């Protein structure tokens, strides 16, 4: 999967393909998060690679660690704003992910309920 991601880490289709492949294998989400960290390290000055890694880390964490997912989405959003015009489709995807997090948070009953 590392080789797949390194083919074109600027292309979200590569990330989607890697994650789809991982769903059908024994690779866990923590392995994918480690892979994203490695990719960031391999491309230290590439904002688009870092933005993609943060966005996809957020997607991985959305159900298991919503607070971390939100942080990754916000960092990705800040990076993408430097790279793309306001109407770029990535911002709709980010809004959707953040809305999903907000809805999930409201659906959790308060403790002691």
């Amino acid at each position: 999967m590392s080789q797949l991601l390194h083919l074109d880490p600027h292309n979200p289709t590569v990330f989607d393909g890697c994650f789809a492949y991982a769903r059908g294998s024994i690779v866990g989400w923590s392995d994918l998060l480690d892979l994203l960290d490695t990719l960031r390290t391999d491309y230290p000055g590439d904002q688009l690679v870092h933005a993609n890694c943060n966005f996809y880390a957020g997607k991985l964490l959305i159900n298991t660690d919503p607070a971390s997912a939100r942080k990754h989405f916000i960092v990705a959003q800040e990076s993408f704003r430097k790279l793309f015009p306001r109407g770029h489709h990535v911002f709709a995807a980010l809004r959707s992910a953040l809305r999903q997090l907000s809805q999930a948070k409201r659906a959790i009953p308060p403790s002691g309920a």
Side-chain angles (χ1 to χ4, degrees), residues 1-9 14-15 18 35-36 39:
M1 281 192 277
S2 176
Q3 289 176 335
L4 176 62
L5 282 176
H6 280 85
L7 287 175
D8 187 3
V14 173
F15 287 84
C18 183
L35 188 56
L36 293 174
L39 196 59

Side-chain angles (χ1 to χ4, degrees), residues 2-77:
S2 176
Q3 289 176 335
L4 176 62
L5 282 176
H6 280 85
L7 287 175
D8 187 3
H10 297 116
N11 186 343
T13 304
V14 173
F15 287 84
D16 289 333
C18 183
F19 286 18
Y21 176 76
R23 275 192 284 276
S25 72
I26 59 170
V27 174
W29 293 145
S30 63
D31 296 323
L32 288 173
L33 289 169
D34 290 343
L35 188 56
L36 293 174
D37 286 338
T38 299
L39 196 59
R40 278 190 209 95
T41 302
D42 291 346
Y43 294 86
D46 194 321
Q47 281 192 321
L48 183 53
V49 171
H50 287 241
N52 281 335
C53 287
N54 279 306
F55 177 74
Y56 281 92
K59 287 181 74 166
L60 286 173
L61 294 166
I62 204 164
N63 293 318
T64 58
D65 189 351
S68 291
R70 178 176 300 285
K71 289 177 187 175
H72 282 286
F73 287 137
I74 297 301
V75 170
Q77 187 175 46

